Amino acid sequence: MVRVVSVFLPTLATDRVRRADPSLPVETPLVVIARSGSKRWIAAADEVALQLGLHVGMPAAKAQALVQQLIMIDADPVADRTALERLTLWALSQYSPVVAMDPPDGILMDTEGADHLQGGEELMLSGLVNRFRARGLAARAAIADTWGAAHALARTFGRETVIVPRGETAKIVSRLPLSSLRLPVETVAGLRTLGFVTIGDLAGTPRAPLTLRFGPEVGRRLDQMFGRLAEPIDPIRPADLIELHKSFAEPIGAAETIEKYVSRLVRQLCSELEQRGLGVRRADLVVHRVDNTMQALRAGTAKPVRDVAWLMKLFRDRFERIEPGFGIEKLSLAATLVEPLPEVQSASSLIEDQMTDVTPLIDVLGNRGGQRIFRVAPVASDVPERSVQRISPMADEVGATWPQQWPRPPRLLARPEAIEVIALLPDHPPASFTWRGKRRRVKRADGPERIFGEWWKRSAEWVAVRDYFVVEDETGERFWIFRSGDGLDTQTGSHDWFLHGIFA
């Protein structure tokens, strides 16, 4: 079953204008004005303008009369489309092999077979919205079984993310307003005049009278939204993309036949990459079925490769996901992400101390999905929770090191947990502490190690300190605990105690 993600970028045009001219005041409302002859209306509005009651489609003269100091910029459809195309190409490289523009302010993705690489649908959508926000773009995303449903939910619901469970699309969209059906404004107005309010009202009406009065478009949009009529996504492709195709006069469906032709495409792809001195980091296999639907498989690697056997293994491990249905009429293989890969002299087998390459293991685990593969690296910070970062498993060394004067626990809690402590202030270690309801008597302790706040980052840490102790209880377990403050002056901290790490 197809799963479609629709990303709605409501302020794409205004965000593009602000990025192009950083001198525009952020707190001042901004709208983009479209023209047609003598008519002028709002084509896009930023969050400030929307909160003041302006909306898309409002006449420009009325908007100017309602809001003082309103910034009005003429629309530039070419620049907006270019910005949308750039974002769509970025999404293609990050999320799915099947990504398309949904002008003027949306992106479509078929994530069936690719969402597991992001940790599942929920993590994928939340991460997608957060990454757009980091780019300074407001975004709302919805996932459903059809293009029409995902498009409508992303623009109708006020939440940032909406996930419709598989098979429940019809029940959800029946309550949506007619305006979400992607029909012309005149058609929607005519349907409302007849008393139709929701899509469910329209879906329960005989089709012939509607077709006679409004034409076939109403029925087509209903069938697309409910999944009765296929609506294929035409994926975007960059100009320099390396992509190979294999079409079949007669549809294929046997697993052995699919593997044979995929193997041929992989060999051709690696040959093309070798000629260009490139290696693939992300390869996409798109299966075109005779029922006008597509399936996609994505294989990622930790470093650039062009090894035929290894790429085939990554795809072969996921061939069971392919559902040929009534047959496959075309296979496409694309190198979505490539990097330079020069020829390297292989080491002699006489050398016994060769480095073990863990890249194959990383590739296998990464393509299984469910969680992201990473390794931790030090950050130049004395504050423990700021001294760790996640980096790519094959990234270069960052150059920083952790403090060596005092031991650090191999397990650092996500956030310090409050504990109850009996201790003499200001410098004595605890005699006992209670953590997660269990009281522990301290047999041995070492400390304190004083860590100061990073006052150059936040003024609130100007006088903040922590005193850390390594303590061992009567069972031999060792913990890393700290007192907030120096034990004398409350300005340096609350004097509450926390458990921050556990030693092996």
Side-chain angles (χ1 to χ4, degrees):
M1 180 182 292
V2 174
R3 293 292 278 174
V4 180
V5 172
S6 177
V7 182
F8 176 42
L9 305 168
T11 59
L12 174 64
T14 54
D15 290 336
R16 178 191 59 77
V17 171
R18 289 195 182 277
R19 286 197 302 272
D21 187 0
S23 63
L24 293 174
V26 178
E27 67 279 1
T28 305
L30 169 67
V31 295
V32 174
I33 302 300
R35 300 171 179 267
S36 179
S38 60
K39 294 182 179 180
R40 300 168 66 241
W41 68 90
I42 296 178
D46 67 358
E47 293 292 339
V48 180
L50 294 173
Q51 292 174 3
L52 293 175
L54 305 185
H55 60 83
V56 175
M58 176 181 287
K62 182 179 179 180
Q64 199 168 15
L66 289 175
V67 178
Q68 296 181 351
Q69 299 180 343
L70 178 64
I71 300 177
M72 306 177 70
I73 305 293
D74 287 337
D76 188 347
V78 175
D80 291 340
R81 186 175 181 85
T82 301
L84 182 61
E85 181 179 5
R86 185 167 58 251
L87 292 171
T88 307
L89 289 172
W90 168 80
L92 172 69
S93 67
Q94 298 294 320
Y95 289 98
S96 170
V98 183
V99 181
M101 293 192 297
D102 190 10
D105 50 16
I107 298 174
L108 281 171
M109 298 186 290
D110 181 354
T111 59
E112 180 67 21
D115 57 342
H116 75 288
L117 297 176
Q118 306 292 332
E121 292 180 346
E122 184 175 355
L123 288 178
M124 179 185 65
L125 282 193
S126 60
L128 176 64
V129 171
N130 289 336
R131 294 180 75 175
F132 273 111
R133 186 186 298 114
R135 289 169 166 253
L137 292 168
R140 299 204 298 266
I143 183 167
D145 295 337
T146 65
W147 175 345
H151 178 98
L153 292 168
R155 288 154 178 78
T156 304
F157 278 50
R159 300 198 303 267
E160 285 190 338
T161 61
V162 179
I163 300 177
V164 179
R166 296 176 184 268
E168 297 187 15
T169 297
K171 181 173 63 176
I172 299 297
V173 301
S174 295
R175 302 192 295 266
L176 297 180
L178 293 179
S179 57
S180 60
L181 202 53
R182 293 181 295 163
L183 290 171
V185 176
E186 298 79 8
T187 303
V188 173
L191 291 169
R192 286 175 176 167
T193 302
L194 296 177
F196 296 106
V197 178
T198 66
I199 293 177
D201 298 336
L202 194 62
T205 302
R207 186 70 56 86
L210 293 175
T211 304
L212 184 61
R213 180 161 183 172
F214 298 102
E217 185 69 6
V218 175
R220 187 173 72 91
R221 288 302 189 189
L222 282 172
D223 289 339
Q224 289 174 342
M225 177 164 283
F226 285 95
R228 296 188 291 264
L229 181 64
E231 190 174 10
I233 299 175
D234 185 17
I236 191 172
R237 289 290 183 256
D240 57 347
L241 181 72
I242 302 176
E243 186 172 20
L244 303 170
H245 306 278
K246 176 60 179 177
S247 300
F248 306 101
E250 294 291 336
I252 65 172
E256 298 81 3
T257 307
I258 296 173
E259 181 174 352
K260 180 180 70 173
Y261 286 107
V262 171
S263 177
R264 292 181 182 179
L265 289 175
V266 169
R267 283 196 293 271
Q268 295 175 27
L269 179 66
C270 290
S271 176
E272 182 69 23
L273 290 170
E274 185 176 7
Q275 293 178 16
R276 303 189 187 189
L278 300 173
V280 65
R281 284 289 311 279
R282 190 169 294 124
D284 296 333
L285 175 66
V286 181
V287 178
H288 304 259
R289 304 195 312 188
V290 295
D291 58 358
N292 209 22
T293 61
M294 291 183 292
Q295 288 183 283
L297 300 180
R298 167 161 286 184
T301 60
K303 63 181 183 181
V305 299
R306 52 172 180 259
D307 184 273
V308 175
W310 184 242
L311 287 177
M312 270 305 298
K313 172 179 171 44
L314 296 180
F315 280 120
R316 190 182 296 111
D317 290 344
R318 302 178 59 208
F319 275 167
E320 70 274 5
R321 292 177 175 267
I322 297 178
E323 299 178 3
F326 294 106
I328 298 170
E329 62 181 2
K330 182 180 178 182
L331 292 173
S332 299
L333 181 64
T336 312
L337 181 62
V338 296
E339 292 180 4
L341 181 61
E343 297 289 347
V344 178
Q345 176 67 42
S346 60
S348 171
S349 60
L350 298 176
I351 302 176
E352 297 181 356
D353 57 344
Q354 297 185 36
M355 295 289 292
T356 301
D357 187 7
V358 299
T359 304
L361 175 62
I362 295 173
D363 291 345
V364 171
L365 295 177
N367 283 280
R368 285 179 182 174
Q371 55 185 344
R372 304 297 293 273
I373 307 299
F374 63 88
R375 63 185 176 93
V376 296
V379 178
S381 176
D382 288 332
V383 181
E385 57 266 34
R386 301 176 190 164
S387 65
V388 178
Q389 64 176 332
R390 294 182 178 184
I391 62 175
S392 169
M394 299 304 296
D396 296 331
E397 296 295 333
V398 297
T401 58
W402 282 296
Q404 302 295 327
Q405 306 92 322
W406 291 84
R408 291 289 185 263
R411 179 189 174 192
L412 195 69
L413 301 184
R415 57 180 60 85
E417 296 186 12
I419 57 177
E420 297 178 5
V421 167
I422 298 176
L424 292 175
L425 296 180
D427 297 325
H428 289 268
S432 66
F433 66 95
T434 303
W435 176 50
R436 295 183 178 177
K438 181 179 180 180
R439 185 172 180 270
R440 302 172 185 267
R441 187 180 302 275
V442 176
K443 290 295 185 181
R444 298 178 182 84
D446 190 12
E449 174 195 359
R450 178 158 293 180
I451 294 179
F452 293 88
E454 297 178 334
W455 51 266
W456 59 92
K457 292 184 177 179
R458 293 196 307 170
S459 58
E461 299 183 30
W462 182 267
V463 295
V465 297
R466 293 178 182 176
D467 283 344
Y468 278 85
F469 294 85
V470 179
V471 299
E472 181 179 324
D473 67 5
E474 63 273 16
T475 65
E477 294 185 85
R478 299 170 66 231
F479 304 91
W480 203 40
I481 66 176
F482 72 88
R483 181 188 61 237
S484 175
D486 61 5
L488 296 173
D489 188 354
T490 56
Q491 288 187 351
T492 62
S494 63
H495 293 173
D496 293 331
W497 289 81
F498 299 86
L499 190 147
H500 203 170
I502 302 174
F503 288 90

PDB file of all heavy atoms in Angstrom, residues 373-379 388-398:
ATOM      1  N   ILE A 373      22.274   5.067  12.933  1.00  0.00           N
ATOM      2  CA  ILE A 373      23.584   4.605  13.342  1.00  0.00           C
ATOM      3  C   ILE A 373      24.479   5.830  13.520  1.00  0.00           C
ATOM      4  O   ILE A 373      24.558   6.686  12.630  1.00  0.00           O
ATOM      5  CB  ILE A 373      24.187   3.656  12.298  1.00  0.00           C
ATOM      6  CG1 ILE A 373      23.198   2.519  11.993  1.00  0.00           C
ATOM      7  CG2 ILE A 373      25.509   3.097  12.784  1.00  0.00           C
ATOM      8  CD1 ILE A 373      22.858   1.672  13.191  1.00  0.00           C
ATOM      9  N   PHE A 374      25.153   5.902  14.661  1.00  0.00           N
ATOM     10  CA  PHE A 374      26.034   7.033  14.936  1.00  0.00           C
ATOM     11  C   PHE A 374      27.114   6.588  15.913  1.00  0.00           C
ATOM     12  O   PHE A 374      27.078   5.488  16.464  1.00  0.00           O
ATOM     13  CB  PHE A 374      25.233   8.201  15.530  1.00  0.00           C
ATOM     14  CG  PHE A 374      24.593   7.894  16.862  1.00  0.00           C
ATOM     15  CD1 PHE A 374      25.278   8.092  18.056  1.00  0.00           C
ATOM     16  CD2 PHE A 374      23.310   7.362  16.925  1.00  0.00           C
ATOM     17  CE1 PHE A 374      24.704   7.785  19.271  1.00  0.00           C
ATOM     18  CE2 PHE A 374      22.725   7.052  18.138  1.00  0.00           C
ATOM     19  CZ  PHE A 374      23.426   7.263  19.317  1.00  0.00           C
ATOM     20  N   ARG A 375      28.090   7.446  16.129  1.00  0.00           N
ATOM     21  CA  ARG A 375      29.042   7.265  17.206  1.00  0.00           C
ATOM     22  C   ARG A 375      29.184   8.587  17.945  1.00  0.00           C
ATOM     23  O   ARG A 375      28.862   9.648  17.393  1.00  0.00           O
ATOM     24  CB  ARG A 375      30.397   6.761  16.701  1.00  0.00           C
ATOM     25  CG  ARG A 375      31.140   7.711  15.761  1.00  0.00           C
ATOM     26  CD  ARG A 375      32.401   7.037  15.243  1.00  0.00           C
ATOM     27  NE  ARG A 375      33.107   7.849  14.268  1.00  0.00           N
ATOM     28  CZ  ARG A 375      34.089   8.697  14.572  1.00  0.00           C
ATOM     29  NH1 ARG A 375      34.460   8.840  15.823  1.00  0.00           N
ATOM     30  NH2 ARG A 375      34.690   9.392  13.623  1.00  0.00           N
ATOM     31  N   VAL A 376      29.630   8.505  19.172  1.00  0.00           N
ATOM     32  CA  VAL A 376      29.744   9.713  19.984  1.00  0.00           C
ATOM     33  C   VAL A 376      31.160  10.251  19.885  1.00  0.00           C
ATOM     34  O   VAL A 376      32.123   9.501  19.719  1.00  0.00           O
ATOM     35  CB  VAL A 376      29.367   9.437  21.449  1.00  0.00           C
ATOM     36  CG1 VAL A 376      27.922   9.031  21.556  1.00  0.00           C
ATOM     37  CG2 VAL A 376      30.269   8.366  22.060  1.00  0.00           C
ATOM     38  N   ALA A 377      31.268  11.565  19.977  1.00  0.00           N
ATOM     39  CA  ALA A 377      32.558  12.238  19.901  1.00  0.00           C
ATOM     40  C   ALA A 377      32.589  13.343  20.943  1.00  0.00           C
ATOM     41  O   ALA A 377      31.540  13.902  21.309  1.00  0.00           O
ATOM     42  CB  ALA A 377      32.781  12.813  18.501  1.00  0.00           C
ATOM     43  N   PRO A 378      33.767  13.677  21.427  1.00  0.00           N
ATOM     44  CA  PRO A 378      33.851  14.715  22.454  1.00  0.00           C
ATOM     45  C   PRO A 378      33.644  16.113  21.892  1.00  0.00           C
ATOM     46  O   PRO A 378      33.915  16.380  20.725  1.00  0.00           O
ATOM     47  CB  PRO A 378      35.268  14.541  23.001  1.00  0.00           C
ATOM     48  CG  PRO A 378      36.039  13.904  21.893  1.00  0.00           C
ATOM     49  CD  PRO A 378      35.071  13.053  21.154  1.00  0.00           C
ATOM     50  N   VAL A 379      33.148  16.997  22.760  1.00  0.00           N
ATOM     51  CA  VAL A 379      32.985  18.415  22.463  1.00  0.00           C
ATOM     52  C   VAL A 379      33.773  19.184  23.519  1.00  0.00           C
ATOM     53  O   VAL A 379      33.810  18.792  24.688  1.00  0.00           O
ATOM     54  CB  VAL A 379      31.509  18.831  22.486  1.00  0.00           C
ATOM     55  CG1 VAL A 379      31.352  20.319  22.222  1.00  0.00           C
ATOM     56  CG2 VAL A 379      30.717  18.037  21.466  1.00  0.00           C
ATOM     57  N   VAL A 388      29.305  15.901  24.677  1.00  0.00           N
ATOM     58  CA  VAL A 388      29.112  14.746  23.807  1.00  0.00           C
ATOM     59  C   VAL A 388      28.269  15.153  22.617  1.00  0.00           C
ATOM     60  O   VAL A 388      27.289  15.901  22.764  1.00  0.00           O
ATOM     61  CB  VAL A 388      28.429  13.584  24.563  1.00  0.00           C
ATOM     62  CG1 VAL A 388      28.201  12.410  23.639  1.00  0.00           C
ATOM     63  CG2 VAL A 388      29.258  13.155  25.761  1.00  0.00           C
ATOM     64  N   GLN A 389      28.647  14.683  21.454  1.00  0.00           N
ATOM     65  CA  GLN A 389      27.855  14.911  20.255  1.00  0.00           C
ATOM     66  C   GLN A 389      27.778  13.628  19.444  1.00  0.00           C
ATOM     67  O   GLN A 389      28.659  12.776  19.524  1.00  0.00           O
ATOM     68  CB  GLN A 389      28.461  16.028  19.399  1.00  0.00           C
ATOM     69  CG  GLN A 389      29.849  15.707  18.854  1.00  0.00           C
ATOM     70  CD  GLN A 389      30.384  16.784  17.942  1.00  0.00           C
ATOM     71  OE1 GLN A 389      29.618  17.494  17.292  1.00  0.00           O
ATOM     72  NE2 GLN A 389      31.710  16.921  17.872  1.00  0.00           N
ATOM     73  N   ARG A 390      26.696  13.515  18.665  1.00  0.00           N
ATOM     74  CA  ARG A 390      26.538  12.377  17.767  1.00  0.00           C
ATOM     75  C   ARG A 390      27.064  12.753  16.389  1.00  0.00           C
ATOM     76  O   ARG A 390      26.721  13.812  15.859  1.00  0.00           O
ATOM     77  CB  ARG A 390      25.064  11.975  17.652  1.00  0.00           C
ATOM     78  CG  ARG A 390      24.470  11.438  18.943  1.00  0.00           C
ATOM     79  CD  ARG A 390      23.020  11.031  18.722  1.00  0.00           C
ATOM     80  NE  ARG A 390      22.427  10.460  19.928  1.00  0.00           N
ATOM     81  CZ  ARG A 390      21.211   9.950  19.987  1.00  0.00           C
ATOM     82  NH1 ARG A 390      20.448   9.925  18.891  1.00  0.00           N
ATOM     83  NH2 ARG A 390      20.737   9.457  21.117  1.00  0.00           N
ATOM     84  N   ILE A 391      27.880  11.898  15.823  1.00  0.00           N
ATOM     85  CA  ILE A 391      28.414  12.140  14.490  1.00  0.00           C
ATOM     86  C   ILE A 391      28.246  10.881  13.651  1.00  0.00           C
ATOM     87  O   ILE A 391      27.930   9.808  14.168  1.00  0.00           O
ATOM     88  CB  ILE A 391      29.898  12.565  14.536  1.00  0.00           C
ATOM     89  CG1 ILE A 391      30.759  11.451  15.136  1.00  0.00           C
ATOM     90  CG2 ILE A 391      30.080  13.844  15.321  1.00  0.00           C
ATOM     91  CD1 ILE A 391      32.252  11.752  15.098  1.00  0.00           C
ATOM     92  N   SER A 392      28.438  11.034  12.354  1.00  0.00           N
ATOM     93  CA  SER A 392      28.354   9.895  11.443  1.00  0.00           C
ATOM     94  C   SER A 392      29.371   8.835  11.841  1.00  0.00           C
ATOM     95  O   SER A 392      30.481   9.160  12.283  1.00  0.00           O
ATOM     96  CB  SER A 392      28.614  10.362  10.012  1.00  0.00           C
ATOM     97  OG  SER A 392      28.790   9.261   9.145  1.00  0.00           O
ATOM     98  N   PRO A 393      29.026   7.551  11.695  1.00  0.00           N
ATOM     99  CA  PRO A 393      29.964   6.497  12.114  1.00  0.00           C
ATOM    100  C   PRO A 393      31.282   6.519  11.356  1.00  0.00           C
ATOM    101  O   PRO A 393      32.288   6.028  11.859  1.00  0.00           O
ATOM    102  CB  PRO A 393      29.181   5.206  11.850  1.00  0.00           C
ATOM    103  CG  PRO A 393      28.111   5.577  10.888  1.00  0.00           C
ATOM    104  CD  PRO A 393      27.759   6.995  11.183  1.00  0.00           C
ATOM    105  N   MET A 394      31.314   7.122  10.159  1.00  0.00           N
ATOM    106  CA  MET A 394      32.543   7.155   9.378  1.00  0.00           C
ATOM    107  C   MET A 394      33.131   8.557   9.297  1.00  0.00           C
ATOM    108  O   MET A 394      34.015   8.818   8.484  1.00  0.00           O
ATOM    109  CB  MET A 394      32.265   6.637   7.952  1.00  0.00           C
ATOM    110  CG  MET A 394      31.756   5.211   7.891  1.00  0.00           C
ATOM    111  SD  MET A 394      32.859   4.039   8.705  1.00  0.00           S
ATOM    112  CE  MET A 394      34.309   4.184   7.668  1.00  0.00           C
ATOM    113  N   ALA A 395      32.660   9.482  10.150  1.00  0.00           N
ATOM    114  CA  ALA A 395      33.172  10.847  10.131  1.00  0.00           C
ATOM    115  C   ALA A 395      34.604  10.897  10.642  1.00  0.00           C
ATOM    116  O   ALA A 395      35.055  10.024  11.407  1.00  0.00           O
ATOM    117  CB  ALA A 395      32.278  11.751  10.962  1.00  0.00           C
ATOM    118  N   ASP A 396      35.341  11.927  10.228  1.00  0.00           N
ATOM    119  CA  ASP A 396      36.712  12.101  10.687  1.00  0.00           C
ATOM    120  C   ASP A 396      36.728  12.468  12.171  1.00  0.00           C
ATOM    121  O   ASP A 396      35.729  12.935  12.727  1.00  0.00           O
ATOM    122  CB  ASP A 396      37.406  13.204   9.881  1.00  0.00           C
ATOM    123  CG  ASP A 396      37.543  12.830   8.407  1.00  0.00           C
ATOM    124  OD1 ASP A 396      37.625  11.620   8.119  1.00  0.00           O
ATOM    125  OD2 ASP A 396      37.565  13.750   7.563  1.00  0.00           O
ATOM    126  N   GLU A 397      37.859  12.274  12.795  1.00  0.00           N
ATOM    127  CA  GLU A 397      38.006  12.632  14.204  1.00  0.00           C
ATOM    128  C   GLU A 397      37.824  14.139  14.372  1.00  0.00           C
ATOM    129  O   GLU A 397      38.303  14.932  13.551  1.00  0.00           O
ATOM    130  CB  GLU A 397      39.382  12.219  14.717  1.00  0.00           C
ATOM    131  CG  GLU A 397      39.626  10.712  14.702  1.00  0.00           C
ATOM    132  CD  GLU A 397      38.699   9.989  15.662  1.00  0.00           C
ATOM    133  OE1 GLU A 397      38.263  10.595  16.649  1.00  0.00           O
ATOM    134  OE2 GLU A 397      38.414   8.799  15.416  1.00  0.00           O
ATOM    135  N   VAL A 398      37.141  14.520  15.452  1.00  0.00           N
ATOM    136  CA  VAL A 398      36.835  15.938  15.665  1.00  0.00           C
ATOM    137  C   VAL A 398      37.995  16.697  16.286  1.00  0.00           C
ATOM    138  O   VAL A 398      38.029  17.927  16.256  1.00  0.00           O
ATOM    139  CB  VAL A 398      35.585  16.089  16.554  1.00  0.00           C
ATOM    140  CG1 VAL A 398      34.382  15.497  15.866  1.00  0.00           C
ATOM    141  CG2 VAL A 398      35.792  15.424  17.918  1.00  0.00           C
TER     142      VAL A 398
END
